[in-house]
């Protein structure tokens, strides 16, 4: 057994066995434009107050935007939204919102069309950890829709199946 800290591939393989949902984080940049990034690092943190966390690479555009912004949205992707996940992971930042549906909440937050849920957060705390920052958000609102989730496992997209 090799050590994951000496073997980045092993580290990635170990983590890839943990199936996750897929989200797109959204916020606004300094000039008010929408910013988004695919993220699977969502975790529940606390019930009272209601806290969640996401971990963002320090080199990501989203890191700069989140560090400057007071609030953000976690858009939980539905089963048919793998293209949205790829878009928000791969396209240049300035092209990510071109040609897709999104809306603004009354509070000015950015919500993508067709998501399974959106979770509205105000930034509560952040912790630099290695090459990522753990952003903790206090959940201030959101909405759920009926549907099935998009899942990510061993580098592939899939769906939820009942045992
Ligand atoms: C399924 C999936 C999950 C991802 N999860 C994260 C994550 O939790 N944190 C992160 O920093 N990057 C994550 N990424 C990578 C970012 O989406 C990708 O690096 C993105 O291009 C960064 O964009 P930006 O520099 O414009 O913010 C994920 C990518 C995929 C495809």
């Amino acid at each position: 057994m090799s050590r994951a800290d000496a073997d980045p591939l092993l580290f990635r393989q170990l983590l890839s066995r943990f199936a996750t949902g897929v989200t797109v984080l959204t916020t606004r940049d300094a000039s008010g434009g929408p910013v988004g990034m695919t993220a699977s690092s969502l975790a529940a943190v606390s019930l009272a107050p209601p806290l969640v966390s996401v971990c963002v690479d320090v080199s990501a555009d989203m890191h700069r935007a989140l560090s400057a912004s007071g609030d953000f949205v976690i858009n939980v992707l539905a089963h048919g939204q793998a293209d949205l996940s790829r878009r928000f992971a791969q396209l240049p930042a300035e092209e990510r919102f071109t040609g897709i549906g999104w809306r603004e909440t009354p509070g000015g937050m950015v919500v993508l069309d067709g998501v399974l849920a959106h979770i509205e957060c105000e930034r509560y705390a952040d912790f630099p950890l290695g090459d990522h920052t753990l952003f903790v958000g206090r959940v201030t609102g959101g909405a759920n829709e009926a549907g099935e989730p998009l899942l990510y496992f061993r580098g592939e997209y899939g769906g939820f199946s009942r045992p």
Side-chain angles (χ1 to χ4, degrees), residues 97-152:
F97 285 88
T98 306
I100 62 157
W102 61 279
R103 66 186 171 84
E104 192 175 295
T105 66
M109 291 172 145
V110 176
V111 177
L112 302 182
D113 286 356
V115 294
L116 196 53
H118 83 269
I119 305 169
E120 299 174 19
C121 300
E122 74 184 19
R123 215 170 96 219
Y124 185 82
D126 34 77
F127 303 94
L129 298 167
D131 57 8
H132 281 55
T133 295
L134 185 77
F135 289 94
V136 179
R138 182 183 179 119
V139 177
T140 55
N144 297 306
E145 303 297 333
E148 295 285 315
L150 179 66
L151 300 184
Y152 195 66

Side-chain angles (χ1 to χ4, degrees), residues 1-64:
M1 170 84 83
S2 43
R3 286 167 53 89
D5 62 355
D7 183 348
L9 180 62
L10 174 63
F11 177 74
R12 284 175 178 273
Q13 286 175 342
L14 293 172
L15 272 290
S16 77
R17 264 56 175 186
F18 183 60
T20 65
V22 184
T23 78
V24 173
L25 308 179
T26 50
T27 188
R28 291 183 181 277
D29 63 19
S31 54
V35 184
M37 187 194 89
T38 302
S40 58
S41 54
L42 172 65
V45 172
S46 159
L47 293 175
L51 302 177
V52 295
S53 69
V54 288
C55 227
V56 178
D57 193 314
V58 294
S59 68
D61 291 337
M62 177 51 80
H63 191 278
R64 193 172 333 115

